[in-house]
Amino acid sequence: MVIVSRLFSVLVILMGLGLAIGGAQLVWLKGSPYYLLAGLVLVVAALQIWRGRRSGALLLAVLAVLTVPWALWESGADFWALFPRVMAPFALAAIGLWLAPSASDGTRPAPWRVGGVVFALLFVMGFGLAFMPHGVVRPDASMAYQPPTGDNQPVDWSAYGRTTEGRRDAPFNQINRETVGKLQLAWSYRTGDLKPGVDQHTPLQLGDTVYSCTRNDKIIALDADTGKERWTFDPQAKSPFWQRCRGLGHYRAEAAAPAAASTTAEGQCRDRIIQTTIDARLIALDARTGKPCKDFGDKGTVALSQNMGLVRPGFYFQTSAPLVARDLIVVGGWVVDNQMRGEPSGVIRAFSARTGELVWAWDLGNPDTTRLPPEGQTYTLGTPNMWTTASYDDRLGLIYAPLGNATPDYYGVGRPAHSDAYNATLVALDVATGRPRWKFQTVHHDIWDYDLPSQPALIDLPDGQGGSTPAVLQTTKRGQIFLLNRATGEPLAEVTEKAVTQEGAVPEEKLSPTQPYSTGMPSIGAERLSEQRMWGMTMFDQLLCRIEFRKLRYDGDFTPPGLVRSIQHPGNVGGLNWGSVSVDTANQRVFLNDIRVPSVFQLVPRDDYAAFSKKYPPVSDGHGPSAQLGTPYGIYTNIWFSALGVPCVQPPFGTLTAIDLKTRKVAWQVPAGTAQQLGPMGVKLNMPMPIGMPTYAGTLSTAGGLVFFAGFQDFYLRAYDAQTGAEVWKHEMPVGSSATPMTYVSPRTGKQYIVVSAGGAAYSAERGDYVLAFALP
C-alpha cells in the first residue's frame, strides 16, 4: 500500500505542478485564480501523502468539496460545464481517502472509508450522467401542434430539395410516429467510388428509378424497390481537390420544341438528368438510358469554363445541384477561396434545358452583360459567387440566389463597390431575364467568410386574414435566420442594425460600424464566448483553452482578422451551413442542424508569409492557411481545438433544432448525436456520450410527424418526433454520412422508402460508398 500511495503522490504532484504553472499564467493574463490555488493544494497534498500523513487525503477532499460551489458560480448547473471542473477533483479525493494510512491498530478509520466511497460514487454518477442527454430544450406546451395529414400517393423527388422551393418536406405518412420503430434496411447499393472526396449527395427519384451521384460525379440509376443497378454514367470528371456532388437536376420536356421533336417524339431525352461536374461541365442525360442527350450543347455537354478567362485547375467548378426552372438550367459555381485576387467570376448563368444554349447571364460586376461578355473580354473576375443551390418560385417568376463573397475572404481593402454591395447577399433574379428584382445583405463588408451557404426555403405564412404571405427563409453561417417577404425582400421578422467592434483590424481596413441581426427570429449557437465557457474533457486541457482564450483577441461578434491571432465565433464553417432546412408546412415548423466550433484567424504580412508558410503550410482549397496573392497579407485560419483535439468551447458542439414560425421561438432542441466514434487525439473510445457534435448535410421532414437526419459523427441514421424532438428510431450505418436523406413512395409497390447516402461522416477519415434504403416490413 505504501508503494501505491507514493506512486499516487507522484501523480498528484505532477498534476499540481501543471495546474500551478498554468494557473499562474492564467492569473497573469487576468484570468481565474482557481487553477493556481488548486495546483498549490495538490502539491501540498502530494507531499503530505508521500510522508504518509492523512492530511494529504483531507486536502484532496477539501479541494473537491470547495470546487463544487466555484464550478456552480462559474457555470450554473450546466452538466457539460461542470464535468471537467469537478470530475478530476472527485477522482483524486476518492483515491486519496481510500489510500489514507491506517490507524495504529491496523484498521482504516470508517470516516475515511466512507468519504472515499462517497467521492467514488459521485465520480461514477457524474461519469454515468455523461451518457444521458443534456442541454435539451423541451417543447413548449403553448406551441400548438397538430399531427400532420398526408397521403401515400407517389410524388417524385425531382429536385435537390424535393421541389425547387427547397423545403425537403415529404407528403407521405406511411412511415409515421407509430410505425417508424419497425423500419428496417430494405436494400443497399455500393457505388464503387472510394476515390478522394466527400460524399454529400441527396438522390433524385423519378417514378420507379432512383438517381444517385458519387463524390467524383459518377451517376447511377437504381430500381426504386430493389436497388438493382439500371445504368451508370461516368463523366471521368477530375479535380485536384474538393471532390463532391451534392445533387442532380431534372428536366421534363412537356411539349417538344420543333428542334427537339425528333428526340422527344420517340421519348428519348424527354426526361433529362442534369449534372454539373467538378471540372466545370454541364451535362444532360436521358433519364431512361443514361446516354448523353445529343441535342444538348456539344453531344450532351456544355463547357461552363467558357468566357471565364484563365481557369486554373480546381479554381472554378460546381459542387452543388443545379436549379431547373421552367425550361432553364441555372448554375453558379464554387470558386477556391483565398488563393489570389482576380479568381474566376461569380457570374450566374441560365442555359436552355433543351439545347444547352446560353439564355441569360447575370454578371454583377457588369450589369450591361446580359448574355455573353463583349468580344475579347470575360465575365467580371473575382465577384461574389453562388456555390450552393438556388430556389425558385414559379408563380412569382423569381430565382433566389444566395451569394458568397469576393475572394480573398479576409481582406476587403480595394474591393470594388459592386462586390461589397453583393457580398453575403440573397438576391431575387427574374427567371426570364436574370435581372435582379431585390436583394438583402446579411453581412456588410464581409471579411469573415460568412458567405450564404444554404439553399433558401420558400414558405407560405398565414397572414391572419385567410390568405398567405410568400416568405423566404435564409440561414447563415452566423447562426442568424432571416425571414423575408419573397416578393419584395422586406423582412417579415424584425432585423436590427447593431453596432459591432471596430478594433483589431489592420489599419487600412474600413469596417462596417453596424451589422444586421435577425432579432425577430432565434439565433442558433451564437452566444458570446467568455473564459468561463472554455472547455476540455479534463480540467487540465480546459485550463489550456482558458489560457489560449486570454491570449487570443476576441471582441465578440465580428471580431475582425488582424495581425494578432483572433477568435471567430461562429466560425467560418458555421453556424448553419449548406445542409439548409426542412419544413413541416402544416405546423409552420422549420428543422435545422448547426455547428458550434469557433475558428482562429490571423493576417500575416507578405514579407513574413514565406517563413510563416513553412510552419503552417498553405492548403490548396482555401480552407486553411492561404496566400491571398494580390493583397499585402496571407491568412492563417483553422478550427479551434484543444490540446486533446476537442473544441475549446463547451458542448453541445452541434444540435438539431425545431423553430416554430408562428411564435418565432425554438420549439425544441437536442444534441446532434454522440461521441461514440471519437476520442482524444484520434483514439476511438467507443463511448456514446450524447455530447452533440458538429454536423453537415440537412434534415428531412415527413407528413408522418417525423424528422430524419444522418449527418451525425457516430454513424447513425435517426428519426425524431417532429412535435417533441424525442428520438424514436435509429439505425447504425456501415460508415457515417454527410448527406441529407430523402424519401419516396414506389409507384409499383406503394411502399415508402427512406434513402440516404453513407460515404463518411464529417471530420472522419473513414469513407464509404453506400446508398441505403429503409422501409417497413
Side-chain angles (χ1 to χ4, degrees):
M1 187 65 73
V2 173
I3 295 176
V4 174
S5 293
R6 290 202 163 182
L7 289 174
F8 177 63
S9 70
V10 171
L11 175 63
V12 173
I13 199 168
L14 291 174
M15 296 168 73
L17 288 172
L19 285 179
I21 294 170
Q25 187 178 10
L26 184 60
V27 170
W28 177 260
L29 295 168
K30 300 180 180 179
S32 170
Y34 167 82
Y35 297 89
L36 172 60
L37 297 175
L40 295 175
V41 170
L42 290 183
V43 170
V44 174
L47 293 174
Q48 294 298 85
I49 293 170
W50 180 271
R51 295 171 181 165
R53 298 179 181 176
R54 296 178 192 164
S55 57
L58 182 61
L59 281 172
L60 293 178
V62 170
L63 175 63
V65 170
L66 293 181
T67 294
V68 173
W70 166 77
L72 291 170
W73 172 75
E74 269 214 332
S75 59
D78 186 293
F79 174 82
W80 288 118
L82 295 173
F83 185 85
R85 290 171 166 86
V86 302
M87 291 296 282
F90 282 176
L92 292 175
I95 298 170
L97 290 171
W98 191 258
L99 294 177
S102 304
S104 58
D105 60 1
T107 62
R108 194 172 302 280
W112 302 90
R113 292 199 309 269
V114 171
V117 170
V118 168
F119 280 110
L121 288 174
L122 288 172
F123 179 86
V124 171
M125 183 172 63
F127 192 74
L129 288 172
F131 294 88
M132 299 177 62
H134 300 280
V136 175
V137 177
R138 302 293 180 187
D140 187 335
S142 66
M143 295 183 186
Y145 183 91
Q146 295 293 327
T149 58
D151 60 46
N152 296 296
Q153 295 300 311
V155 178
D156 289 346
W157 188 291
S158 59
Y160 174 59
R162 192 179 76 82
T163 70
T164 60
E165 294 170 317
R167 291 196 297 262
R168 294 163 188 81
D169 55 338
F172 316 126
N173 61 3
Q174 185 181 123
I175 300 170
N176 54 53
R177 292 183 290 180
E178 286 71 41
T179 62
V180 68
K182 300 177 183 178
L183 206 57
Q184 61 189 30
L185 185 66
W187 56 259
S188 65
Y189 175 84
R190 301 197 67 171
T191 69
D193 188 351
L194 288 169
K195 296 176 184 178
V198 180
D199 186 346
Q200 297 178 334
H201 88 277
T202 300
L204 299 184
Q205 168 265 328
L206 306 172
D208 64 357
T209 307
V210 170
Y211 300 89
S212 170
C213 64
T214 73
R215 50 174 62 86
N216 286 280
D217 287 331
K218 181 180 179 181
I219 300 179
I220 304 108
L222 304 172
D223 184 285
D225 285 296
T226 67
K228 183 179 179 180
E229 180 184 299
R230 289 186 167 167
W231 56 257
T232 65
F233 175 79
D234 189 348
Q236 300 293 315
K238 291 180 174 61
S239 174
F241 44 75
W242 210 248
Q243 302 91 344
R244 64 208 61 211
C245 169
R246 294 196 178 102
L248 303 165
H250 166 246
Y251 171 71
R252 175 167 293 164
E254 298 296 348
S262 61
T263 55
T264 54
E266 300 174 2
Q268 296 174 7
C269 280
R270 178 175 180 268
D271 275 304
R272 302 184 177 198
I273 298 300
I274 307 300
Q275 175 186 32
T276 52
T277 68
I278 54 175
D279 52 8
R281 285 179 284 162
L282 176 64
I283 299 173
L285 303 176
D286 188 314
R288 296 186 310 157
T289 66
K291 297 184 182 300
C293 298
K294 294 182 180 180
D295 58 346
F296 182 87
D298 181 9
K299 299 178 182 178
T301 300
V302 172
L304 294 175
S305 57
Q306 58 188 339
N307 302 304
M308 299 292 284
L310 174 65
V311 178
R312 294 171 174 83
F315 268 55
Y316 171 81
F317 52 84
Q318 287 65 38
T319 60
S320 297
L323 171 72
V324 178
R326 296 183 183 170
D327 286 348
L328 301 177
I329 304 167
V330 181
V331 295
W334 182 85
V335 178
V336 65
D337 289 342
N338 303 316
Q339 301 304 298
M340 59 187 294
R341 278 191 164 157
E343 292 187 18
S345 176
V347 61
I348 295 176
R349 289 172 286 178
F351 297 87
S352 166
R354 298 177 183 272
T355 67
E357 181 184 5
L358 179 67
V359 176
W360 56 253
W362 180 53
D363 178 354
L364 65 85
N366 185 0
D368 292 335
T369 297
T370 60
R371 192 166 175 267
L372 294 172
E375 185 71 26
Q377 298 183 30
T378 68
Y379 296 113
T380 307
L381 300 180
T383 53
N385 62 310
M386 180 185 76
W387 58 264
T388 190
T389 300
S391 297
Y392 171 60
D393 183 333
D394 191 54
R395 183 175 62 83
L396 292 175
L398 292 180
I399 294 165
Y400 301 91
L403 298 186
N405 46 27
T407 58
D409 293 312
Y410 302 104
Y411 184 72
V413 177
R415 280 182 186 162
H418 58 69
S419 285
D420 250 357
Y422 282 99
N423 282 326
T425 296
L426 181 63
V427 183
L429 302 175
D430 186 294
V431 68
T433 65
R435 299 308 92 194
R437 290 267 197 91
W438 58 257
K439 68 183 182 74
F440 180 88
Q441 189 165 59
T442 65
V443 178
H444 307 319
H445 192 65
D446 182 11
I447 55 172
W448 298 270
D449 192 19
Y450 279 152
D451 47 1
L452 293 182
S454 54
Q455 182 183 27
L458 310 188
I459 308 167
D460 292 329
L461 301 178
D463 61 6
Q465 301 175 356
S468 63
T469 300
V472 55
L473 184 141
Q474 178 68 60
T475 58
T476 69
K477 289 184 181 181
R478 296 172 52 206
Q480 298 288 311
I481 303 168
F482 293 92
L483 187 66
L484 312 172
N485 185 308
R486 69 175 183 264
T488 66
E490 294 298 316
L492 295 176
E494 184 177 4
V495 175
T496 304
E497 289 284 336
K498 294 185 179 181
V500 295
T501 183
Q502 301 293 292
E503 303 296 326
V506 290
E508 67 270 29
E509 188 70 79
K510 293 184 179 180
L511 302 173
S512 173
T514 65
Q515 293 289 353
Y517 285 78
S518 183
T519 52
M521 291 286 287
S523 62
I524 306 297
E527 297 83 0
R528 186 182 178 97
L529 299 181
S530 65
E531 182 197 324
Q532 289 75 18
R533 291 194 64 217
M534 296 302 100
W535 199 75
M537 287 296 293
T538 69
M539 65 191 301
F540 306 100
D541 60 316
Q542 181 183 40
L543 170 59
L544 293 177
C545 284
R546 293 177 80 134
I547 291 171
E548 193 168 1
F549 177 80
R550 287 290 181 179
K551 287 182 175 180
L552 295 168
R553 181 168 54 84
Y554 177 67
D555 297 316
D557 290 355
F558 295 103
T559 296
L563 299 178
V564 176
R565 197 161 291 195
S566 311
I567 297 172
Q568 178 193 22
H569 178 71
N572 51 22
V573 296
L576 306 167
N577 211 298
W578 59 266
S580 308
V581 305
S582 63
V583 183
D584 177 344
T585 51
N587 287 285
Q588 296 290 294
R589 286 197 174 184
V590 172
F591 308 100
L592 48 86
N593 55 295
D594 71 287
I595 301 168
R596 304 187 183 191
V597 181
S599 298
V600 176
F601 50 19
Q602 176 186 8
L603 292 173
V604 182
R606 184 63 56 205
D607 291 343
D608 301 330
Y609 186 74
F612 178 88
S613 64
K614 293 179 180 178
K615 184 176 181 181
Y616 301 102
V619 297
S620 56
D621 66 1
H623 291 70
S626 302
Q628 295 194 144
L629 298 177
T631 76
Y633 308 95
I635 184 69
Y636 170 85
T637 180
N638 222 325
I639 296 173
W640 187 28
F641 288 123
S642 76
L644 294 180
V646 177
C648 271
V649 292
Q650 69 190 40
F653 307 130
T655 67
L656 288 180
T657 302
I659 295 175
D660 186 285
L661 293 179
K662 298 185 293 294
T663 62
R664 312 280 167 85
K665 296 180 179 179
V666 171
W668 52 259
Q669 189 173 83
V670 297
T674 74
Q676 181 174 333
Q677 297 289 337
L678 304 173
M681 294 177 286
V683 179
K684 288 186 181 181
L685 298 180
N686 199 32
M687 292 185 179
M689 295 179 177
I691 205 166
M693 302 304 295
T695 60
Y696 288 113
T699 56
L700 161 68
S701 171
T702 77
L706 297 171
V707 180
F708 288 89
F709 185 71
F712 305 102
Q713 294 192 40
D714 59 3
F715 299 5
Y716 281 96
L717 169 65
R718 288 181 171 90
Y720 294 84
D721 186 317
Q723 178 178 4
T724 66
E727 182 184 304
V728 292
W729 174 83
K730 69 177 180 180
H731 189 283
E732 189 170 10
M733 298 180 290
V735 295
S737 174
S738 295
T740 304
M742 54 85 72
T743 185
Y744 58 88
V745 169
S746 166
R748 191 165 57 224
T749 64
K751 181 176 288 190
Q752 183 184 356
Y753 293 88
I754 306 292
V755 176
V756 67
S757 170
Y763 308 109
S764 172
E766 296 188 42
R767 292 287 178 261
D769 61 343
Y770 299 88
V771 180
L772 306 173
F774 299 86
L776 298 174

